[in-house]
Amino acid sequence: MAWGKGALGSCDALLKRVEDNDPKLTELVILPMKTFGTAELEKLSCAIESGANTNLQSISASGHHLPPASLKRFGIALSTQAKNAEQSNGKKCGISSLAIGSKDMGDEGVIALCEGLKESNGGLLQIIDFGWKNLGKDSLQAIGRTFASSKCLTHLDLSRNNDIGNEGIACLANAAKENVGNVAFPSLEKLNLSECNIGPLGVQSLAEVILGPNNNRSKPIDLAISSNPIGSESCGTLSTLCAIPGGGSIISRLQLSKCSIGDDGIKLLSVAAMSNSCIGLTFLDLAENSISKKGAKMFAESLAESWPDLVELKLAKNELDGEGVAMVMGALISRSESTDEESAGKKNSTLENLDLSCTNCGIEGAKAALMSGGLSTIRMFNNRLGSDGFHSISSLLQGGHPSIENLDLGGNDAGEDAVVALLNSIAVKEEDGIASSLSVLEIGGNKFGDEAQEALNKLKCAWPQLDVAHDKPIQEAEDEEEAEEEEEAAT
């Protein structure tokens, strides 16, 4: 990887390496402080179009203002490279990853680039980052026309483009239909549409693009649609992607945080999952969606049987309360307790990673989480457990934990005596005790003084492999603060 080293602000030395086809230069990163404009992009385009460079595979040049004419010229160079590669009998070598342009690129810039790429259906590009480029509906139409037929494109990032909206997604869908008779973006594996101001109508258009005219997409997609006002209504549409009758989920990972789905939305997802299991969905992010213990109960009912491949679940920043968390944990326990072969075949595989940060889980929820077997990572940051909470869960962590490898108890405002009790409990090491899996413990945001440091030292003797993240001891922090104040006063 090259970062544009050389004379301050100049890319000349770097571009010379591109022109000389330096075999060590496969990834080109041009930082925003470098000069990269029309002249520099022309040099890069010539090296690519002429075939002089066959080793470069990735270009990252975000943060640079580039005029539409230069972007079109660059697109033509990429198309020429793709056509030359198609005509050769060897391995298709060329630019497969691209991030280019600044936040003022806008529709004009993207349309120009796509015009250059249209003839080759997007060239050899597999990964494209159009994030935070001020795109609107016209850009989405151009992207649909250019890349919908691409057999190369696997990753498309359109995030942080607030002007896309419902109309932009509709334009993408319509353009794809016009240019593709079957499934659009057939090789797509990851699509990021976070922070694009997409609502229910946009989600409907998106579902049409993903599923294809006959629900015949075969390649699963990692879909990020967080921080969009999709609301509860859109969960019915998303269910058509995650709970396909007889087909499971065409979505492998679903990032749905901050989408205002609420209890009604989680109910729609849960009911659909109970009718048609979400087979193939491994990651689900439902953080910050105003889900209450009522929604947690409905989700728990489906969790026991209907998410068989779920590995990671994020429920952070939802007011589930202890009761809601306990119901979710109960569902996880029930799906791991099967004894007969018939029911065992129907049970879900065990969830590994669970985020319960800021869920107001309380002591009841924290204890339920720690008693659930199979989980390797649990995050319970900022749940106001306090000293009483730490004292209550200490017995559940005596000698460590048989399955949990990463445990986050940070930000719970526990007093030092409670932190000491927790550390002392984990430090217990009996010959016939459990074989602890605990390797990372996060307890920052809880009181940590000399007594806690002493307890930590004893813990390290018992479990030297355990990494404990904590605040600086109180006296050390005060000394540093005093030193900083003295230094400021002296200057």
Side-chain angles (χ1 to χ4, degrees), residues 6 20 24 33 36 54 67 99 110 193 282 314 336 339 355 372 435 469:
D20 292 343
K24 295 182 179 180
M33 70 279 294
F36 187 74
T54 58
V110 172
L193 287 165
T282 62
K314 294 189 175 185
S336 62
T339 54
D355 190 350
S372 175

Side-chain angles (χ1 to χ4, degrees), residues 42-331:
E42 176 61 24
K43 286 184 180 181
L44 185 58
S45 298
C46 288
I48 293 170
E49 185 176 43
S50 66
N53 187 288
T54 58
N55 291 309
L56 192 61
Q57 300 171 20
S58 172
I59 298 173
S60 178
S62 291
H64 297 278
H65 174 75
L66 298 164
S70 296
L71 288 166
K72 182 176 181 179
R73 167 78 178 93
F74 181 60
I76 292 172
L78 294 176
S79 281
T80 301
Q81 183 184 62
K83 286 186 289 184
N84 292 338
E86 188 68 35
Q87 292 170 3
S88 68
N89 296 323
K91 182 180 178 181
K92 292 183 179 180
C93 298
I95 307 302
S96 60
S97 178
L98 177 65
I100 197 166
S102 61
K103 63 181 180 180
D104 60 357
M105 187 175 184
D107 288 341
E108 192 176 2
V110 172
I111 291 170
L113 178 64
C114 287
E115 284 177 353
L117 286 163
K118 181 67 173 70
E119 186 179 355
S120 62
N121 293 323
L124 301 175
L125 291 174
Q126 299 174 22
I127 302 171
I128 305 174
D129 182 358
F130 283 138
W132 200 29
K133 297 295 189 295
N134 196 27
L135 310 189
K137 62 183 182 65
D138 293 337
S139 292
L140 273 287
Q141 184 178 58
I143 291 169
R145 288 175 175 170
T146 303
F147 292 98
S149 298
S150 173
K151 295 180 181 179
C152 297
L153 186 64
T154 59
H155 293 60
L156 178 59
D157 187 348
L158 299 170
S159 64
R160 297 184 295 167
N161 287 296
N162 197 57
D163 290 338
I164 287 178
N166 294 333
E167 194 173 0
I169 301 301
C171 286
L172 178 71
N174 292 333
K177 290 176 186 176
E178 293 172 3
N179 290 270
V180 180
N182 203 340
V183 177
F185 307 99
S187 299
L188 194 63
E189 298 174 2
K190 186 171 184 177
L191 176 61
N192 191 345
L193 287 165
S194 299
E195 298 182 52
C196 288
N197 195 30
I198 300 170
L201 292 177
V203 175
Q204 288 180 13
S205 298
L206 178 62
E208 294 175 7
V209 174
I210 292 176
L211 284 173
N214 300 307
N215 292 3
N216 52 352
R217 176 177 292 276
S218 59
K219 189 177 289 292
I221 290 181
D222 175 342
L223 177 61
I225 196 170
S226 297
S227 301
N228 282 294
I230 71 169
S232 59
E233 179 184 343
S234 295
C235 289
T237 304
L238 290 173
S239 295
T240 65
L241 303 176
C242 301
I244 302 171
S249 178
I250 198 61
I251 305 299
S252 59
R253 293 168 55 90
L254 180 59
Q255 297 180 51
L256 199 61
S257 63
K258 295 182 69 174
C259 285
S260 304
I261 68 170
D263 290 338
D264 290 340
I266 196 63
K267 179 180 180 180
L268 288 172
L269 288 173
S270 301
V271 170
M274 285 188 284
S275 298
N276 301 286
S277 293
C278 301
I279 300 168
L281 196 149
T282 62
F283 175 97
L284 181 61
D285 184 357
L286 297 170
E288 204 165 350
N289 267 301
S290 301
I291 299 171
S292 71
K293 63 181 179 181
K294 177 182 176 182
K297 179 181 180 181
M298 292 181 286
F299 180 65
E301 291 174 1
S302 71
L303 185 61
E305 298 283 348
S306 303
W307 307 80
D309 299 310
L310 194 61
V311 174
E312 184 166 357
L313 174 63
K314 294 189 175 185
L315 295 170
K317 296 185 179 181
N318 290 296
E319 285 288 322
L320 306 182
D321 297 331
E323 185 179 350
V325 170
M327 286 186 284
V328 170
M329 304 316 300

